Amino acid sequence: MVSLEQIRSDMQELLDRDNQLHNVEVNAESIDEALADAAVQLDTKAADLQYEVVEKGSNGFLGLGKKPWTLRIYQNPNTMQAAKKSAKDDLFGSEGESAVEKISDRDGLFFIRHFGDEILLKVLLPVGKGAHVDSKEVFQRLRRPDTLSIEESLVNKYIKNGTDGKYEVVGEYKHIAAADAMIVINISSDEMKATITATGPAMSGADVSVQMIERALGAQGITVGIDKDKIAEFVDNPVYDVPYEVAAGIPAVDGRDAYIAYDFETDTRKLRATETATGQIDFKELNLIQNVIKGGRLAQKIPAERGKAGKTLLGRYLEAKNGKDIPIPLGQNVSLASDGMTVIADTDGQVMLFAGKITVEPVLQVHGVNIKTGNVKFLGSVIVRGNVEDGFNVDASGNVEVSGTVGKCKINAGGNIIVQQGIFGKDEGVLTSKKSLWAKFIQAAKVEVEDSVIVTDSIMSSEVVAMKSILLTGKKAQITGGHLFATEEIAAKNIGSPGGGAETILEVGFDPRAKQRLDELQEKQGALVKELENIELDISTLENQKKIRRTLPKDKEDNLVKLRERRDQIDGESTQMTEEIQSLQEHLRELKAVGKVKASGTVYSGVKIYVRDVLDEVRNEVSAVTFYYDNSFVKRGKYEPPAQLKGPDGYTTN
């Protein structure tokens, strides 16, 4: 059953909501126009408005007798409550309580005004530790010579409980109209600002009231932008003989133009080098290249906004300009996503603004890799028109082509590496490629490729690993010193040197990586076996001591536990290594590529040639020879020309 108290509570809530409603009365030719007008005045959406028809309009007949609609329009209380709650949440969030606690202390306030022939009192209660209003002071102010009567009980009640922000009648006075305060309304020339200039009342005259100001504004035709808070503030604290703003028009707001929000730095001058931990600039990491991946977002168009119309104090509309649209500057290798606003990359590469258009360049061209460029890291192919100098690196997902020489550098390519001059590794240069490497010569460098290494002049004192072939095709075609691995074949004119010199080792007929991994595992397993022997000896010694003494000191007991744990760990590691070693050995035995070493000129004494892990050490010079595997032996036959390999586009080894 609904109680009377519940009904009162609900009605009070409805009354409070009704009191909070902002409403305007609008005259317009149609209901839609009236709602649009009110939306501007109330600063909300037309969809959030409700209205009452004050006077129904009519279109008349042939334009005669046309009558406008008059509507009283107010905000939907539900949307107002939601908006207030949202604003409150945004303002305080989870810290709302602490924000309230921060309100400073304030003493109570009172205001006495004379409106008409009545005396009115407004009392604001103190905040925090503020003092209450002094009743003596209130009564002293109320008892003027023109005061006729005062309801003292009401005054005491209001001093104690406050007046809830309103003026309440507490007495009467002898009113003389000629002594009343006066106000003058001034409207600016653009109809966007209205001020009042008031003269104070004489004794027995009435003060300026809210109703007095609102009537004066209405008499001037002002219906828009009336600021009730400012009017109430003026009534509480009047300012005489000085213009005081009480109403302001709603200015038109032009829409913002469309613009492009870039996800990369469009001004290359703002790109900054990497700083070290000590704050020094690393000149090898200049970060001049902005890499992007295929499908990555590059930019987004923020659409233009519609302008928001304004209105003057007298109800005249102010037109607003809509923001200007702009085209999306699409260059090469970019496209729009399905939303029509987002620019994405069609390929890996470098993003830039070229001639004002968003472009992804899949090929990076530099004059050289040096202190001016820093290290180059690029999602695409790199063309170096000069040299790659000592200490600088190139990392590319595509090809790397160098017109000059490569020094003591690291070059990594997802495609081919092409060095038109040569490589001076100085025992520290490392070049790796997912495809092939082409060069004029390789000296004191480490090279590892997934396909083949093709050199025109010479390979000297280098470590070269190729998953297919190593071919030297020029007039010199010399291999001197170093360690070369190839699965299928190694071919050159001359191998080794007449005087012996640096050791030259060539290996073919197996998977170089599998062989390297096998060697590593066998070396590690050998070390584990030695460690295990020592551990077994230590364990045996401690266990014998324990049998004799029955117990061991704590440190020795702990050491025994650790030794046993390490023994078990070695057993597990050794078992795993044995399984991997057996797998690699089986893989190398089953390898179909037989492997050959071919020399059209001379193979000098001292050269070591391994074919399928079988050694043939050349003790006397041989010429025009092919080394191959047959029945578990390395045999020598007539020279066989190497397979013909086609060079990459735009490059030849001849």
Side-chain angles (χ1 to χ4, degrees), residues 252-257 305-308 319-324:
V253 179
D254 292 340
R256 187 197 62 232
D257 293 342
E305 291 182 348
R306 294 184 60 82
K308 189 175 181 180
E319 295 293 335
K321 297 179 181 178
N322 292 328
K324 296 179 181 179

Side-chain angles (χ1 to χ4, degrees), residues 33 70 84 164 177 202-203 267 271 314 337 346 358 422 430 441 469 516 553 603 606 615 636 638:
E33 288 185 11
T70 301
K84 287 184 178 181
D164 197 23
M203 179 61 70
D267 186 353
L271 296 174
L314 303 182
D346 290 341
I358 303 169
V430 179
F441 61 84
S469 305
Q516 286 180 339
V603 179
L615 172 63
R636 303 177 183 180
K638 293 183 179 179

Side-chain angles (χ1 to χ4, degrees), residues 531-547 552 556-571:
E531 184 182 355
L532 184 60
E533 290 175 353
N534 293 329
I535 288 175
E536 291 285 8
L537 181 60
D538 292 341
I539 290 174
S540 178
T541 301
L542 290 172
E543 287 178 343
N544 289 333
Q545 291 178 4
K546 190 171 183 180
K547 286 179 182 179
L552 289 173
K556 291 188 176 182
E557 186 67 39
D558 292 342
N559 189 32
L560 179 60
V561 172
K562 290 180 181 179
L563 289 171
R564 286 170 176 169
E565 289 176 351
R566 178 56 182 159
R567 180 182 62 185
D568 295 340
Q569 185 181 7
I570 290 175
D571 287 340

